[in-house]
């Protein structure tokens, strides 16, 4: 026995003690010295196959090790661990085989009862690993795993015990599955696959191929829980699309493939570790008997079935209460309702208990009335499997089976200290009160010897809230006078409200006579079965696609179209054509109406294929360029041996198979180009064909999206925004645009869009590009004004060597250039904007914008102010005054854009002098410049003008100018600039102001 001391101040276990008793709890030996006085133990495990083998785990926060005992805890060997164990899974047959799951999602295996460990696999999903089962799996040492792969997807694989290399991995299902969906239970394997955003549930029977589980057509599960796989039949709880706190119960055929409704609106509650608890209780000892709590008109009522869900009815309330008073309770307005939660505490009995060794006896807490309630709860007992009930306590008690169910022990469930227990030797009809302690004890739980034949019980608790634990041993052996003989038993026959033929047979059980105090032997509770009953309609449930009517008959559902050829014709030459009924799998009736309701074997007719399905193994319509895509093909109806399958991948390649069974593992294909492909599958035979299409988006991974737009734009004028992707071709891309802080985006399939800003100011424009499962974003800030001026800029070539081609670098250089211009010219920084363009050579554009505070005067004066600033800026640029240091020793100059100079030396044989040609061109250009200046009254050279368009004036384009005169800082004489300033872009961006004749001051602006 392991005890731990929890320190509430530190929030952790600070001490532990290990105890051992060899005399059924009379004395205990403390084993701390044998396991290490400083060791803090966290868990104790006993091998389910050999009770002599015990394993202890230490607290991983102190040390990571385990202790092993091979002699029922008398001695221990300590072994260090290289990982922290979160949980263990023992092999159901091999006592030394153990799986260990670590905190970092790795799975380890030991075949030496924990002495040595070997890594099986990493990225294993918690609680989704299972041992193989002999007779079903190829190898006894096989492990079923669900592992996490990229993008939050999972995969179902199998591994050999000590060799889980890629070459030894099995993939029973070829595609990806929904995370946390693998369930391996008995003959069945369950998974979920996402198809078009919906979960599709698949099942494999006896490790064969996976097929979609067939639920009633309009059952759209939000959640599915596997409840039971006993007797070659699956019971599943499904929360349908319209349900929130209840589930419907369904049961399957032997393959777990076709499901029919068992019970609607069953109560569910949340359990530990986010598990769902369904209010369904299977009575032990009697097959086919279940209790369930069902919601009926917003009331929770308890129902019972004796034929595994075919028929349900309310529980009959006791005829009298505990005091013998008559109980007036008439169905359906009043009945007995029970709490059906099984205890999660191994030291308590729970709300309801039954035992295989005590057939027909059920003990539960509940109430009598119109619905289930948590107030005025009493304890009820039935001795005939739920036909009649008796009230035995009017408070909550924990009731335990003693002597293999031959006797009962009850302990009051209360927060107060107690001194007494109650014993019954007649299945709870009469109780004897016994004192087990002289001082009242706060009871925390009950310990018993492992196994069913308990005659010794240990109660543990506290005498006070501050006292240490007390263990009190109760030995019931002196109460029992002898060993039971055949004369001490009577027979009891199971019935359902008088009907003795249940599940096609009569069942007779042996029970101890009332008040006989004898010790039962292990084999003296054997049930006896009489001859099978003749089959009646009550032995059959409705088959898939059929629903039970009020009169009990099964008729076809409105969505079901019975076919002469069924799904069984996929695998054989004959099939069983349904009559609308199917016999319950555990029903043993014979003859009678068996032939009337049983399916009739027929030869599969020649029929064209029907119900062809095609989808990818990942359940999506997106694939990655250059990677394998697995297509899954299913055919609901059609002769497998006669039906060929052709899959056309849409890229000019196709593949054919002689029959559909050849592609159970899927069809793989690799696409070498991005695009949208029409994939088709065609099933055909000599009677016809069926074809289905799938449109697959093949894309490559999007790495970046870059948004381009002018830095400054004109109010009420359309602006073009464009995007550049890297790589440029990634397949189908969806763009989401946000303008003016709007919460709803504009969605396009084109990477360009036009937008008009209706107000001045700074605006943020955001674009997101969605390609496959990848989303990238870019964002820019756009300044909107009524008018502005701009100048293109170039840099000395040494800057190109430092250009990394990233936006942050361009922003930093733009900020440096702006600072230099402000320092040299004295222009207000709020009126300057600089933007560098991507690519080489490095270029930029500088914008002159209106002042934030509106200037006094008319529009002419505002324009004149910008013109003066432009002259100052161009003067500074053409005098090489704008420069900055990008790193020590590396100076970068900024220029206004100009043409590349012509060669000074003519290498040809022409007789004309190169110098003369240059002089001639200069004279012509000077004359043209004088004419232009005169014509346009000294408009500013080397700049672009932008303004709001006026409909009553024609647009005028500003021509390029060869040179300008600027003031000499040393004096008043005008000096010709050394650099010829020629505008490269002949297309003027934006619009000219409506005032074409702008008067400038005769005084040239100063250079600051």
């Amino acid at each position: 026995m392991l005890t731990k001391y929890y320190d509430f101040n530190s929030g952790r276990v600070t001490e532990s003690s290990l105890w051992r008793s060899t005399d059924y709890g009379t004395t205990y030996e403390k084993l701390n010295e044998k396991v290490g006085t400083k060791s803090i133990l966290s868990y104790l495990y006993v091998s389910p196959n050999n009770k002599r083998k015990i394993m202890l785990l230490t607290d991983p926060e102190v040390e990571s090790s385990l202790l092993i005992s091979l002699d029922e805890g008398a001695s221990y060997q300590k072994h260090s661990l290289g990982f922290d164990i979160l949980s263990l899974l023992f092999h159901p047959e091999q006592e030394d085989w153990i799986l260990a799951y670590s905190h970092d999602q790795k799975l380890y295996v030991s075949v030496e009862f924990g002495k040595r460990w070997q890594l099986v696999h990493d990225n294993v999903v918690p609680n989704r690993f299972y041992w193989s089962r002999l007779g079903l799996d190829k190898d006894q040492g096989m492990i079923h795993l669900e592992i996490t792969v990229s993008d939050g997807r999972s995969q179902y694989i199998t591994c050999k015990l000590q060799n889980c290399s890629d070459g030894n991995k099995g993939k029973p299902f070829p595609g990806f599955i929904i995370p946390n969906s693998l369930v391996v239970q008995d003959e069945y394997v369950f998974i979920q696959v996402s198809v078009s955003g919906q979960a599709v549930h698949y099942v494999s029977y006896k490790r064969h191929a996976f097929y979609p589980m067939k639920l009633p057509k309009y059952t759209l599960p939000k959640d599915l829980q596997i409840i039971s796989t006993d007797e070659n039949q699956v019971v599943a709880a499904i929360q349908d699309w319209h349900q929130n706190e209840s589930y419907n119960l369904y049961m399957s055929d032997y393959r777990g493939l076709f499901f029919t409704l068992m019970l609607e609106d069953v109560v569910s509650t949340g359990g530990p570790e986010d598990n769902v608890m369904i209010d369904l209780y299977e009575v032990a000892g009697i097959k086919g008997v279940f209790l369930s709590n069902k919601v009926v008109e917003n009331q929770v009522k308890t129902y019972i079935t004796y034929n595994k869900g075919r028929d349900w009815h309310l529980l009959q309330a006791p005829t009298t209460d505990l005091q013998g008073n008559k109980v007036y309770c008439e169905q359906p307005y009043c009945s007995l309702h029970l709490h059906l939660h099984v205890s999660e505490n191994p030291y308590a009995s729970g709300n309801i208990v039954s035992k295989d060794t005590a057939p027909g006896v059920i003990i539960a807490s509940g109430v009598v009335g119109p619905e289930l309630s948590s107030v005025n709860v009493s304890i009820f007992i039935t001795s005939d499997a739920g036909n009649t009930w008796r009230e035995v306590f009017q408070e909550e008690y924990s009731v335990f089976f003693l002597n293999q169910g031959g006797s009962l022990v009850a302990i009051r469930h209360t927060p107060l200290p107690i001194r007494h227990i109650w014993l019954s030797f007649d299945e709870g009809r009469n109780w004897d009160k016994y004192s087990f302690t002289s001082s009242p004890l706060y009871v925390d739980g009950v310990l018993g010897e492992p196994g069913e034949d308990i005659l010794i019980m240990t109660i543990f608790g506290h005498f006070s809230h501050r006292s240490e634990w007390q263990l009190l041993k109760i030995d019931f052996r002196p109460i029992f006078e002898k060993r039971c003989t055949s004369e001490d038993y009577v027979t009891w026959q199971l019935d359902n409200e008088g009907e003795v033929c249940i599940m096609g047979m009569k069942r007779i059980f042996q029970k101890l006579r009332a008040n006989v105090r004898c010790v039962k032997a292990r084999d003296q509770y054997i049930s006896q079965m009489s001859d099978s009953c003749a089959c009646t309609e009550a032995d059959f449930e409705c088959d898939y696609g059929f629903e039970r009517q009020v009169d009990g008959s099964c008729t076809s559902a409105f969505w079901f179209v019975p076919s002469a050829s069924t799904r069984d014709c996929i695998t054989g030459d004959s099939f069983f054509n349904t009559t609308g009924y199917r016999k319950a799998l555990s029903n043993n009736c014979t003859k009678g109406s068996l032939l009337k309701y049983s399916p009739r074997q027929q030869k599969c007719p020649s029929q064209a294929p029907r119900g062809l399905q095609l989808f990818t193994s990942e359940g999506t319509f997106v694939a990655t360029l250059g990677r394998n895509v697995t297509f899954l093909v299913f055919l609901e109806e059609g002769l497998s041996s006669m039906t060929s399958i052709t899959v056309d991948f849409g890229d000019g390649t196709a593949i054919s198979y002689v029959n559909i069974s050849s592609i159970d593992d899927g069809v793989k294909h690799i696409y070498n180009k991005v695009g949208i492909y029409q994939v088709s599958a065609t099933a055909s035979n000599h009677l016809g064909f069926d074809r289905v299409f799938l449109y697959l988006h093949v894309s490559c991974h999007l790495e970046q999206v870059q948004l381009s737009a002018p830095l400054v734009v004109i109010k009420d004028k359309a602006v073009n925004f464009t995007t550049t992707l890297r790589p440029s071709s990634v397949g189908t891309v969806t763009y989401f645009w946000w303008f003016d802080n709007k919460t709803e985006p504009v969605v396009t399939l084109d990477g360009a869009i036009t937008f008009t800003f209706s107000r001045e100011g700074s605006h943020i424009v955001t674009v997101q590009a969605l390609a496959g499962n990848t989303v990238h974003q870019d964002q820019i800030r756009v300044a909107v004004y009524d008018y502005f001026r701009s100048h293109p800029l170039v840099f000395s070539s040494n800057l190109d060597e430092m250009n990394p081609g990233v936006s942050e670098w361009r922003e930093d250089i733009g900020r440096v250039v702006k600072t230099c211009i402000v320092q040299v010219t004295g222009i207000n920084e709020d009126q300057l904007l600089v933007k560098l363009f991507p690519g080489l050579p490095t270029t930029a554009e500088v914008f002159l914008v209106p002042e934030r505070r509106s200037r006094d005067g008319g529009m002419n004066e505002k324009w004149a102010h910008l013109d003066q600033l432009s002259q100052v800026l161009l003067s500074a640029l053409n005098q090489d005054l704008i420069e900055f240091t990008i790193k020590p020793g590396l100076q970068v100059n900024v220029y206004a854009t100009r043409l590349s100079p012509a060669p000074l030396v003519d290498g040809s044989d022409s007789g004309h002098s190169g110098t003369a040609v240059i002089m001639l061109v200069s004279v012509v250009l000077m004359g043209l410049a004088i004419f232009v200046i005169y014509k346009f009254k000294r408009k500013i050279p080397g700049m672009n003008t932008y303004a709001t368009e006026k409909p009553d004036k024609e647009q005028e384009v500003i021509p390029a100018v060869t040179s300008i005169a600027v003031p000499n800082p040393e004096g008043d004489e005008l000096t010709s600039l050394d650099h010829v300033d020629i505008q490269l872009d002949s297309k003027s961006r934006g619009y000219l102001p409506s005032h074409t004749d702008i008067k400038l001051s005769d005084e040239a602006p100063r250079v600051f």
Side-chain angles (χ1 to χ4, degrees):
M1 182 173 62
L2 176 63
T3 61
K4 294 183 283 188
Y5 175 77
Y6 183 83
D7 187 351
F8 286 93
N9 294 325
S10 62
R12 56 188 296 268
V13 174
T14 57
E15 295 181 22
S16 67
S17 297
L18 185 65
W19 307 85
R20 182 173 183 261
S21 174
T22 58
D23 53 8
Y24 298 101
T26 302
T27 60
Y28 283 88
E29 176 190 4
K30 192 174 183 179
L31 303 178
N32 281 31
E33 292 184 359
K34 294 185 178 182
V35 299
T37 55
K38 295 184 179 180
S39 297
I40 299 178
L41 305 177
S42 56
Y43 293 101
L44 183 152
Y45 295 90
V46 179
S47 170
N49 302 306
N50 187 344
K51 304 300 182 184
R52 294 181 58 83
K53 294 186 175 182
I54 298 173
M55 180 178 293
L56 295 167
L57 299 182
T58 60
D59 187 344
E61 294 186 5
V62 179
E63 61 174 329
S64 186
S65 61
L66 56 81
L67 296 100
I68 297 173
S69 173
L70 305 178
D71 52 10
E72 292 186 305
S75 61
Y76 290 88
Q77 291 181 343
K78 194 171 186 178
H79 299 269
S80 297
L81 289 173
F83 59 96
D84 297 338
I85 295 179
L86 186 63
S87 62
L88 294 177
L89 181 65
F90 291 86
H91 194 278
E93 298 168 357
Q94 298 292 331
E95 61 186 52
D96 291 335
W97 292 9
I98 310 172
L99 293 176
Y101 187 75
S102 67
H103 287 77
D104 55 354
Q105 297 187 332
K106 293 181 179 179
L107 188 68
Y108 296 83
V109 66
S110 173
V111 294
E112 302 176 76
F113 200 73
K115 294 179 180 179
R116 294 181 181 86
W117 295 91
Q118 180 178 335
L119 177 66
V120 177
H121 209 285
D122 53 7
N123 297 322
V124 178
V125 178
N127 301 318
R128 299 297 171 177
F129 47 90
Y130 308 86
W131 283 110
S132 60
R133 181 172 172 179
L134 192 62
L136 290 173
D137 295 290
K138 297 179 180 179
D139 188 351
Q140 188 180 24
M142 183 180 291
I143 307 168
H144 300 264
L145 304 170
E146 179 183 334
I147 60 172
T148 300
V149 294
S150 59
D151 299 329
R153 296 174 297 184
S154 291
Q155 195 168 38
Y156 168 34
I157 66 170
T158 56
C159 278
K160 291 185 177 180
L161 187 62
Q162 292 179 296
N163 187 0
C164 198
S165 61
D166 290 339
N168 287 305
K169 290 180 184 177
K171 294 183 179 179
F173 186 78
F176 296 105
I177 66 175
I178 293 177
N180 209 41
S181 68
L182 174 66
V183 176
V184 181
Q185 196 165 311
D186 296 326
E187 290 86 358
Y188 307 93
V189 180
F190 305 93
I191 58 173
Q192 297 179 39
V193 178
S194 178
V195 178
S196 302
Q198 291 186 343
V200 178
H201 299 265
Y202 281 77
V203 63
S204 165
Y205 176 61
K206 290 188 174 180
R207 309 303 189 258
H208 295 313
F210 281 91
Y211 290 97
M213 294 165 61
K214 291 291 186 179
L215 303 171
K217 186 172 183 179
Y218 294 104
T219 299
L220 306 176
K222 292 195 297 185
D223 185 36
L224 185 148
Q225 303 285 331
I226 302 299
I227 304 299
S228 170
T229 54
D230 295 338
E231 300 177 323
N232 287 333
Q233 189 172 41
V234 179
V235 176
I238 295 177
Q239 188 173 59
D240 212 345
W241 60 272
H242 61 277
Q243 295 174 310
N244 294 318
E245 297 180 355
S246 62
Y247 282 69
N248 293 340
L249 296 179
Y250 292 83
M251 53 186 172
S252 74
D253 62 347
Y254 71 95
R255 294 170 296 181
L257 193 59
F258 293 90
F259 286 79
T260 56
L261 185 64
M262 180 177 176
L263 185 65
E264 291 183 292
D265 296 321
V266 177
V267 174
S268 68
T269 54
E273 299 182 358
D274 296 328
N275 290 327
V276 177
M277 306 295 293
I278 307 296
D279 270 20
L280 177 70
Y281 180 78
E282 183 175 4
V283 177
I286 305 178
K287 295 296 184 181
V289 181
F290 289 83
L291 291 160
S292 186
N293 285 327
K294 170 183 169 68
V295 180
V296 181
E297 296 179 352
N298 297 320
Q299 292 183 323
V300 177
K301 299 176 181 289
T302 303
Y303 287 77
I304 190 170
T305 178
Y306 292 89
N307 50 14
K308 206 170 183 179
R310 183 196 183 279
D311 302 293
W312 296 84
H313 60 78
L314 294 167
L315 294 179
Q316 186 65 48
T319 56
T320 61
D321 62 15
L322 188 59
Q323 289 74 32
N325 302 316
K326 184 175 178 60
V327 175
Y328 296 94
C329 185
E330 183 179 351
Q331 294 184 4
Y333 310 104
C334 175
S335 59
L336 175 63
H337 310 287
L338 305 177
H339 294 280
L340 302 180
H341 291 170
V342 178
S343 175
E344 300 168 9
N345 184 353
Y347 311 119
S349 63
N351 297 122
I352 183 169
V353 290
S354 60
K355 287 288 184 182
D356 290 332
T357 55
V361 178
I362 309 171
I363 308 162
S365 62
V367 296
V368 173
E371 62 177 329
L372 182 64
S373 173
S374 297
V375 297
N376 299 323
V377 174
S378 297
I379 303 298
F380 298 90
I381 288 182
T382 177
S383 299
D384 54 9
N387 282 285
T388 60
W389 294 82
R390 304 181 304 276
E391 184 181 31
V392 293
F393 296 107
Q394 289 186 331
E395 295 178 284
E396 290 199 58
Y397 278 71
S398 294
V399 182
F400 301 88
F401 286 95
L402 186 69
N403 188 27
Q404 299 191 71
S407 307
L408 301 174
V409 179
I411 302 176
R412 185 182 175 190
H413 189 69
T414 173
L416 301 176
I418 59 174
R419 297 174 54 190
H420 301 96
I421 60 173
W422 283 258
L423 269 71
S424 175
F425 300 94
D426 57 1
E427 297 179 343
R429 293 177 177 85
N430 298 284
W431 294 86
D432 297 327
K433 186 176 181 181
Y434 292 85
S435 176
F436 68 92
T437 175
S438 57
S439 301
L441 181 74
Y442 292 94
V443 175
D444 294 322
V446 176
L447 297 175
E449 182 70 15
E452 299 278 344
D453 49 347
I454 299 177
L455 291 177
I456 296 176
M457 182 179 291
T458 300
I459 298 176
F460 65 94
H462 300 80
F463 287 128
S464 68
H465 292 298
R466 296 186 177 182
S467 68
E468 296 182 348
W469 262 354
Q470 305 294 323
L471 282 80
L472 285 79
K473 172 186 173 183
I474 305 176
D475 191 351
F476 296 101
R477 288 177 294 183
I479 298 177
F480 297 94
E481 303 165 353
K482 60 174 184 174
R483 287 199 171 270
C484 298
T485 65
S486 59
E487 296 179 356
D488 297 317
Y489 288 87
V490 294
T491 58
W492 165 73
Q493 185 171 34
L494 174 67
D495 71 281
N496 175 13
E497 297 181 340
E499 175 57 53
V500 296
C501 281
I502 300 175
M503 301 292 287
M505 60 184 176
K506 301 174 183 178
R507 282 179 279 185
I508 300 175
F509 299 87
Q510 288 182 334
K511 289 189 175 186
L512 279 179
R513 294 180 183 274
N515 296 313
V516 173
R517 301 190 181 187
C518 63
V519 179
K520 289 179 63 176
R522 287 180 178 268
D523 57 350
Q524 287 183 319
Y525 52 87
I526 301 174
S527 63
Q528 299 176 351
M529 184 179 68
S530 68
D531 294 337
S532 298
C533 299
C535 293
T536 66
E537 190 271 342
D539 293 303
F540 293 85
E541 59 196 24
C542 292
D543 202 355
Y544 175 77
F546 292 80
E547 296 175 342
R548 189 169 301 281
Q549 304 303 312
V550 178
D551 61 359
S553 63
C554 296
T555 60
S556 177
F558 75 93
W559 49 265
F560 184 68
V561 180
S563 174
S565 176
T566 70
R567 60 268 177 186
D568 293 324
C569 283
I570 293 290
T571 57
D573 296 330
S574 64
F575 74 102
F576 287 92
N577 193 12
T578 182
T579 60
Y581 298 82
R582 70 183 184 193
K583 192 174 73 168
L585 294 177
S586 53
N587 192 293
N588 293 321
C589 73
T590 58
K591 300 181 180 179
S593 302
L594 181 61
L595 294 178
K596 177 181 178 181
Y597 294 105
S598 296
R600 297 172 177 84
Q601 187 172 5
Q602 298 179 7
K603 185 177 180 180
C604 290
S606 298
Q607 177 180 316
R610 193 177 75 176
L612 189 63
Q613 300 178 42
L614 171 67
F615 49 90
T616 65
S617 61
E618 298 184 25
T620 65
F621 301 103
V622 179
T624 303
L625 183 71
R627 293 187 182 179
N628 259 321
V629 185
T630 302
F631 295 95
L632 302 180
V633 183
F634 292 99
L635 181 64
E636 290 189 354
E637 297 180 10
L639 288 173
S640 172
S641 59
M642 299 174 53
T643 302
S644 64
I645 296 291
T646 300
V647 180
D648 188 333
F649 301 108
D651 60 351
T653 59
I655 189 169
S656 297
Y657 298 87
V658 294
N659 57 66
I660 194 168
S661 60
S662 305
I663 54 174
D664 285 343
D665 294 333
V667 184
K668 293 181 172 57
H669 187 67
I670 296 177
Y671 289 90
N672 298 316
K673 291 183 180 180
V674 299
I676 303 177
Y677 295 88
Q678 183 191 64
V679 185
S680 65
T682 305
S684 59
N685 57 29
H686 69 283
L687 292 174
F689 70 92
D690 191 12
R691 180 173 294 152
V692 63
F693 295 95
L694 179 153
Y695 294 92
L696 186 70
H697 295 247
V698 177
S699 62
C700 62
H701 182 69
L702 176 62
E703 299 177 2
Q704 185 186 39
V705 59
Q706 184 175 340
L707 179 59
S708 300
L711 181 63
V712 184
V713 300
I714 297 296
K715 187 180 74 171
D716 296 328
K717 291 297 178 183
V719 183
N720 292 325
F721 293 87
T722 59
T723 57
T724 304
L725 303 180
R726 191 179 68 191
S728 58
S729 180
V730 295
T732 304
V733 181
T734 304
Y735 298 88
F736 302 86
W737 307 83
W738 283 269
F739 298 94
D740 282 339
N741 297 323
K742 293 182 178 179
T743 57
E744 293 297 325
V746 178
V747 182
T748 67
L749 294 177
D750 189 2
I753 194 172
T754 301
F755 188 78
T756 301
F757 295 95
S758 59
R759 58 183 179 85
E760 289 188 276
S762 179
H763 299 260
I764 295 177
V765 179
T766 303
V767 65
Q768 287 184 346
L770 169 64
N773 296 324
T774 304
V775 178
H776 284 283
Q777 175 178 302
D778 196 15
Q779 193 175 73
I780 62 173
R781 187 179 295 271
V782 177
V784 180
Y785 294 95
D786 280 332
Y787 61 96
F788 66 89
R789 294 271 167 85
S790 73
H791 301 276
L793 302 176
V794 294
F795 302 86
S796 53
S797 59
N798 55 359
L799 182 62
D800 293 343
E801 301 173 1
M802 308 300 297
N803 189 341
V806 296
S807 59
E808 291 83 0
W809 182 87
R810 293 192 293 270
E811 292 174 2
D812 288 339
I813 296 299
R815 175 177 48 80
V816 172
V817 171
K818 177 180 177 179
T819 301
C820 292
I821 293 175
V822 171
Q823 291 175 349
V824 172
T825 64
I827 297 175
N828 190 330
E829 64 176 351
D830 292 337
Q831 293 187 261
L832 277 174
L833 297 173
V834 178
K835 179 180 180 179
L836 270 72
F837 300 108
L840 294 175
T842 308
T843 58
E845 189 168 8
V846 59
F847 298 87
L848 291 166
V849 299
E851 295 178 287
R852 290 184 179 179
R853 187 176 61 182
S854 179
R855 294 175 59 89
D856 296 333
M859 194 64 185
N860 289 346
E861 295 184 12
K862 295 179 181 179
W863 274 109
H865 178 67
L866 281 188
D867 290 340
Q868 289 178 340
L869 296 180
S870 295
Q871 284 186 335
V872 172
L873 175 60
L874 286 174
S875 297
L877 290 169
N878 287 321
Q879 293 182 89
D880 290 344
L881 299 179
I882 309 300
E883 59 182 6
F884 60 92
T885 302
I886 193 170
K887 72 175 185 178
L890 186 60
Q891 197 78 11
V892 177
N893 292 90
V894 186
Y895 313 111
T897 303
R898 60 191 180 281
L899 290 173
S900 299
L904 297 179
V905 178
D906 187 0
S908 68
D909 296 334
S910 173
H912 300 286
S913 168
T915 304
V917 173
I918 293 175
M919 291 180 61
L920 178 61
V921 171
S922 300
V923 171
V924 173
L925 292 177
M926 182 62 72
L928 179 61
I930 294 172
F931 171 76
V932 169
I933 293 174
Y934 172 78
K935 173 65 177 176
F936 294 99
K937 297 184 179 179
R938 293 177 61 188
K939 287 185 180 178
I940 307 303
M943 71 178 174
N944 296 325
T945 305
Y946 305 85
T948 304
E949 182 182 12
K950 302 296 182 181
D952 56 340
K953 294 291 183 179
E954 294 182 356
Q955 302 177 25
E956 297 186 22
V957 180
I958 299 178
V961 179
T962 57
S963 64
I964 62 170
V966 298
N968 186 348
E970 304 296 334
D972 294 335
E973 295 183 1
L974 295 181
T975 305
S976 177
L977 293 180
D978 294 334
H979 298 284
V980 179
D981 180 28
I982 299 178
Q983 183 175 334
L984 289 176
D985 188 1
S986 61
K987 295 181 180 180
S988 176
R989 295 177 52 209
Y991 300 89
L992 289 176
S994 57
H995 301 280
T996 56
D997 297 334
I998 301 176
K999 296 181 179 179
L1000 301 180
S1001 171
D1002 292 334
E1003 181 182 358
R1006 295 178 59 192
V1007 178
F1008 294 91

